[in-house]
Amino acid sequence: MPAALATLGGRELIAVAARNNPGACNAPFPVHPLGTDGTVGGSYQDAALPPGYVAGVTGGIDVRDLWWGPDQHLYATISAWTCDDSRSAQDDKKVPHRPATLFRLDGERWVSAGAQPATVVRPLDRRTRMVLVIPDCIGHIERDDAAAYCNSGPLYRERDGKRTKITGGVLSLSAPPSAS
């Protein structure tokens, strides 16, 4: 369950992504901005959902990462899939629509903020960020090394939208919040 906390402009900002129906093909993954007074907000994920999405029926999304950026926007990496009910196993029913890519919350609506795959992102400044790309492994995976393949990937340094590969086989990416 990804969560993000930051202090921006003297305000504490909190957000959580709550996975509904873990493991099920039909699975929403709403992101809730939270107020320090206990209020729970919502957000519209239309731009992140697969085509023809009907809640609890036709597909799902996965929020892989969540953070507050230095521009005071909430960011997430979100993948999406549709469901093929002709298959029996829940994981096999998932048909990838889009790998995890970058989205930004504008007001109450999520908007696309990048077309390149991105699983975990850590901003270094307004123009530079580190990007880890781990395969989503949504749906049936026909690989002998699926366990390793689905848990590591290349690390990039992205500056002004241009990526430079740093290394491969990276398991995770962690950095202190840049916005606090």
Side-chain angles (χ1 to χ4, degrees), residues 28-44:
F29 207 145
V31 176
H32 301 285
L34 305 174
T36 54
D37 61 355
T39 58
V40 178
S43 60
Y44 298 99

Side-chain angles (χ1 to χ4, degrees), residues 92 137-146 149-150:
D92 289 348
C137 293
I138 295 170
H140 182 72
I141 308 298
E142 291 193 29
R143 289 184 64 108
D144 292 336
D145 64 343
Y149 176 71
C150 298

Side-chain angles (χ1 to χ4, degrees), residues 56-121:
V57 178
T58 62
I61 62 172
D62 189 16
V63 177
R64 302 293 305 267
D65 194 18
L66 188 64
W67 71 98
W68 293 97
D71 60 1
Q72 301 189 15
H73 282 277
L74 182 61
Y75 286 85
T77 55
I78 305 173
S79 57
W81 61 84
T82 56
C83 295
D84 178 355
D85 288 331
S86 69
R87 300 175 185 174
S88 56
Q90 286 295 313
D91 280 343
D92 289 348
K93 288 181 181 185
K94 296 177 182 176
V95 179
H97 167 64
R98 187 194 61 256
T101 54
L102 189 59
F103 284 83
R104 179 184 68 244
L105 186 61
D106 277 349
E108 293 183 350
R109 292 211 174 275
W110 288 94
V111 297
S112 177
Q116 297 182 75
T119 308
V120 179
V121 178

